[in-house]
Amino acid sequence: MLSSLYIKNLAIIDELNISFNEGLNIITGETGAGKSLIIKAIQLLMGRKFSPEILRTGSDTLVVEGNFNEHNNNTIIRRIYRENRQSKSFINDEPVTQKELLKTTRLLADLHGQHDHQNLLDSNTHLHYLDSYGSYDSILVKLKNTFQSVQDCESKLHKLLLMQQKLREKSELYKFQLNELTQYPLSINFEKEIVKQYNRLSMASEIQSSLSTVGMLLEEGDYAVINSLNKIINELEKVSEFDESILTIQKRTGENRIELEDMVLDIQRIKENISVCPDDLEKVNEIIAHIEMLKRKHGGSIESVIEYRDSIIQAELESGGCKAEINNLENEFQDLKKELLENSTKISQYRKATAIKLEKTIKNNLKHLNMADTIFKINLISDPENIIETGMDSCEFFISTNIGEELRPVAKIASGGEISRIMLAIKMALQSKDIVDTLIFDEIDSGISGATAERIGETFEKLAESHQILCITHLSQIAGKGDTHFKVSKNIKGERIVVNVNKLTKTDRIGEIATLISGRKITESSRKQAEELLQANG
């Protein structure tokens, strides 16, 4: 339960500290006195975002703090807003994010106001009311997760199909380019070797001529190198026996002659292997021209050509892999859709059974709220061809408030007072499923009076047996049911308006309830009625 609420610098509220009790806490006061600000403070406490205009004029900091006592465990929530538009949230003095705050507060209190009437008039919310009454939350979560998996799978499949389409569109171009790029085994070494071949073939005649000249110089004519060496060896032989060093020179000269003779043989072999065939030169020239053409097309270097070739080969491989992945995803997509349909069908069956129970409960509640002749119907329509994250069902509440009238959507026939009672009947039904201890009602009784107001008061009184109720009301029949009664008033302090909240004594309550009955001028009759109300309610 909300045991205390502290408010500082909220609009016309200077500083308030309110202590609430168990049971039914009634809050009354004149229009504009500040009752709605208390509700706003609780909304801020529960996670509603701040807005600059709610900061009290002349103040730099707004503070809202609430102490919730649940099963002897205290949870203190404090929220701070500064004029620089920065806000902070704390749970038990530990800073928390907005998401963490909302996760905690939704388990502490539930606020129902006149905006709930608008929800009731919106058929899109009716399925939520039905599911809130049901006992199939785990299947709903599973349904939502399955729907998300279907969406994710469909998105992946769509992307792959687009990729496949693009690859298909480029297939002919890639085929042509790949034919060009794989005509030769392109590599950096391949290009170097081809250039060498070209240089060698283009200079074949010059090479042969030079080698012939070298051969002649080595072994042809009287002055050839080898002949000269033979003469040198012969001369050294004549004197080598007289000196060991000369013999060494003679041997070295002989070794050089042998080396030169081998060189002559190598030169002859090279000459024979050198082709002067124009066809060979033309073929190599074509390869070089092809490589240069590829460089111009694909980046200017052999490295960029190789990179582009490899990227096309990879794209072709991915195309094959893409087909396999598409096939797998298509199978997965069909399996997920089947699972989604099964879960949706199961949820739909649960909803149909739940709708019968909820109809009965709401009818009984409406009967208690002085709408005994009302027929209430939950219209549930299933469309297996249109499944969303909530399933295949659409839901709308239909009602007939008078005997003989046909059932029509709630939004089209219900008056303000009827809407309030229908909303309260739904809330009464849902509270049995509620896990929160504190229920806050902000003038949910608008448009109601007389005996109906008495019945609503009894409803709040019954709810107060299991919940803490905070109820802002303008009806004496409801105010008289309260266990604790607070009056909100607006006064002048200095040159500023301030809001005061006072817990009323029994005597004060008589006067306040009399005011609700007769207005500002309290009559003896209204005072007597107030006394009777309080006496009747103990």
Side-chain angles (χ1 to χ4, degrees):
M1 58 172 270
L2 178 60
S3 58
S4 65
L5 176 65
Y6 175 76
I7 310 168
K8 184 175 182 180
N9 296 328
L10 174 61
I12 60 173
I13 294 177
D14 178 24
E15 189 171 21
L16 283 178
N17 201 335
I18 311 171
S19 295
F20 296 106
N21 296 323
E22 295 180 350
L24 179 55
N25 294 261
I26 296 296
I27 302 172
T28 59
E30 294 183 5
T31 301
K35 301 188 298 298
S36 62
L37 292 177
I38 295 173
I39 296 298
K40 187 175 288 293
I42 295 174
Q43 289 173 333
L44 293 171
L45 200 64
M46 296 178 67
R48 175 168 289 190
K49 291 185 178 180
F50 291 97
S51 55
E53 67 273 8
I54 64 174
L55 180 63
R56 183 172 170 82
T57 303
S59 303
D60 59 3
T61 305
L62 185 159
V63 180
V64 180
E65 183 176 301
N67 188 348
F68 290 86
N69 188 290
E70 305 291 330
H71 311 297
N72 296 322
N73 293 320
N74 279 347
T75 302
I76 299 174
I77 296 175
R78 183 170 67 256
R79 301 199 67 201
I80 300 173
Y81 178 76
R82 304 189 189 281
E83 61 180 347
N84 59 5
R85 300 194 177 189
Q86 290 185 342
S87 63
K88 292 182 179 180
S89 302
F90 301 86
I91 297 179
N92 294 332
D93 293 326
E94 291 292 331
V96 293
T97 63
Q98 181 81 358
K99 185 177 180 180
E100 291 170 331
L101 177 67
L102 291 170
K103 185 178 179 180
T104 297
T105 57
R106 72 181 182 84
L107 302 176
L108 297 176
D110 194 5
L111 194 151
H112 311 298
Q114 295 184 56
H115 68 281
D116 286 318
H117 298 353
Q118 298 304 315
N119 287 341
L120 184 57
L121 298 177
D122 181 2
S123 60
N124 293 321
T125 66
H126 295 177
L127 189 65
H128 172 72
Y129 287 130
L130 177 62
D131 289 340
S132 296
Y133 188 73
S135 301
Y136 42 85
D137 288 350
S138 59
I139 306 176
L140 280 171
V141 171
K142 186 177 180 181
L143 173 68
K144 186 175 181 180
N145 292 338
T146 304
F147 178 78
Q148 188 59 54
S149 296
V150 169
Q151 295 290 94
D152 293 342
C153 185
E154 188 174 25
S155 177
K156 290 178 185 177
L157 186 58
H158 179 67
K159 288 178 181 178
L160 281 175
L161 288 171
L162 283 178
M163 184 188 298
Q164 186 185 56
Q165 178 64 27
K166 289 179 181 179
L167 289 172
R168 192 180 294 118
E169 291 171 356
K170 292 184 177 181
S171 178
E172 289 301 317
L173 174 62
Y174 282 167
K175 185 176 180 181
F176 172 77
Q177 290 178 333
L178 201 56
N179 185 55
E180 284 186 334
L181 291 162
T182 57
Q183 189 171 342
Y184 302 106
L186 297 179
S187 69
I188 295 173
N189 290 333
F190 177 78
E191 183 187 32
K192 288 179 180 178
E193 185 58 35
I194 287 297
V195 171
K196 284 182 182 179
Q197 285 186 35
Y198 174 80
N199 291 335
R200 188 164 59 249
L201 289 170
S202 62
M203 296 293 291
S205 298
E206 288 81 353
I207 293 171
Q208 284 187 332
S209 175
S210 295
L211 290 176
S212 297
T213 301
V214 171
M216 290 175 60
L217 290 173
L218 285 173
E219 66 175 355
E220 294 183 15
D222 294 336
Y223 300 102
V225 174
I226 294 176
N227 290 336
S228 297
L229 282 175
N230 286 332
K231 291 178 181 179
I232 292 170
I233 292 170
N234 289 334
E235 290 299 321
L236 290 172
E237 283 180 348
K238 295 176 183 180
V239 295
S240 60
E241 60 181 306
F242 303 108
D243 193 318
E244 284 293 329
S245 59
I246 295 174
L247 180 61
T248 300
I249 292 172
Q250 179 200 347
K251 289 179 179 180
R252 289 172 61 191
T253 305
E255 291 171 355
N256 287 329
R257 182 188 64 187
I258 294 171
E259 180 66 24
L260 288 173
E261 287 173 347
D262 288 343
M263 285 176 58
V264 171
L265 293 174
D266 289 340
I267 289 170
Q268 186 61 34
R269 188 164 53 250
I270 292 171
K271 281 176 60 181
E272 291 174 355
N273 290 332
I274 291 177
S275 172
V276 198
C277 178
D279 291 342
D280 292 342
L281 179 61
E282 185 177 351
K283 288 179 182 177
V284 172
N285 192 41
E286 285 177 357
I287 294 174
I288 292 175
H290 186 80
I291 292 174
E292 292 302 316
M293 176 270 292
L294 293 176
K295 286 182 182 180
R296 289 192 299 272
K297 281 186 176 182
H298 307 298
S301 67
I302 189 66
E303 291 86 355
S304 61
V305 171
I306 293 169
E307 183 179 353
Y308 185 71
R309 178 200 64 192
D310 292 344
S311 70
I312 292 180
I313 292 173
Q314 183 62 33
E316 290 293 308
L317 290 174
E318 287 179 357
S319 177
C322 182
K323 291 176 183 177
E325 191 172 356
I326 286 173
N327 186 54
N328 291 335
L329 276 175
E330 285 176 339
N331 291 333
E332 181 183 351
F333 182 62
Q334 293 303 320
D335 289 342
L336 285 170
K337 283 183 67 178
K338 182 180 178 182
E339 183 181 349
L340 183 64
L341 178 59
E342 290 173 353
N343 290 338
S344 298
T345 303
K346 187 179 294 185
I347 287 289
S348 187
Q349 292 169 350
Y350 278 118
R351 282 172 174 156
K352 288 171 183 175
T354 302
I356 294 171
K357 295 177 183 177
L358 182 57
E359 280 178 4
K360 184 177 180 180
T361 302
I362 291 176
K363 285 176 183 177
N364 289 335
N365 292 341
L366 288 172
K367 183 178 180 180
H368 178 74
L369 293 171
N370 221 21
M371 294 179 71
D373 295 329
T374 298
I375 300 173
F376 183 84
K377 179 71 177 175
I378 298 176
N379 190 23
L380 200 63
I381 299 174
S382 302
D383 182 5
E385 299 300 320
N386 184 27
I387 301 177
I388 57 176
E389 65 177 357
T390 56
M392 64 169 71
D393 303 312
S394 60
C395 178
E396 187 169 9
F397 295 163
F398 279 66
I399 193 169
S400 170
T401 55
N402 295 297
I403 296 174
E405 290 186 4
E406 64 177 337
L407 285 164
R408 293 181 183 176
V410 170
K412 293 186 177 180
I413 64 168
S415 65
E418 289 170 336
I419 285 291
S420 294
R421 281 181 281 174
I422 296 167
M423 189 75 249
L424 189 54
I426 292 172
K427 293 297 181 183
M428 287 171 61
L430 297 183
Q431 292 319 314
S432 63
K433 304 289 183 178
D434 208 339
I435 60 173
V436 301
D437 287 342
T438 299
L439 305 175
I440 304 158
F441 293 93
D442 179 19
E443 295 189 4
I444 198 172
D445 53 15
S446 61
I448 295 170
S449 60
T452 302
E454 176 67 26
R455 292 293 186 91
I456 290 177
E458 291 172 357
T459 300
F460 282 136
E461 193 174 30
K462 184 176 180 181
L463 282 173
E465 293 174 2
S466 57
H467 295 75
Q468 180 196 39
I469 308 291
L470 274 58
C471 178
I472 294 179
T473 183
H474 61 277
L475 295 178
S476 60
Q477 295 93 328
I478 294 174
K481 303 286 185 182
D483 299 302
T484 309
H485 193 148
F486 298 90
K487 180 179 179 178
V488 182
S489 58
K490 188 167 58 176
N491 303 289
I492 298 176
K493 183 179 179 181
E495 296 182 355
R496 300 292 300 274
I497 294 291
V498 295
V499 174
N500 294 318
V501 177
N502 297 309
K503 184 183 292 186
L504 301 183
T505 65
K506 184 174 181 179
T507 302
D508 294 332
R509 289 187 70 188
I510 292 172
E512 179 64 12
I513 293 172
T515 302
L516 296 177
I517 295 171
S518 62
R520 288 187 179 182
K521 186 177 180 180
I522 300 175
T523 65
E524 189 61 33
S525 174
S526 63
R527 180 176 290 276
K528 186 176 180 180
Q529 288 182 53
E531 289 176 349
E532 290 174 352
L533 274 173
L534 290 175
Q535 186 176 2
N537 295 317

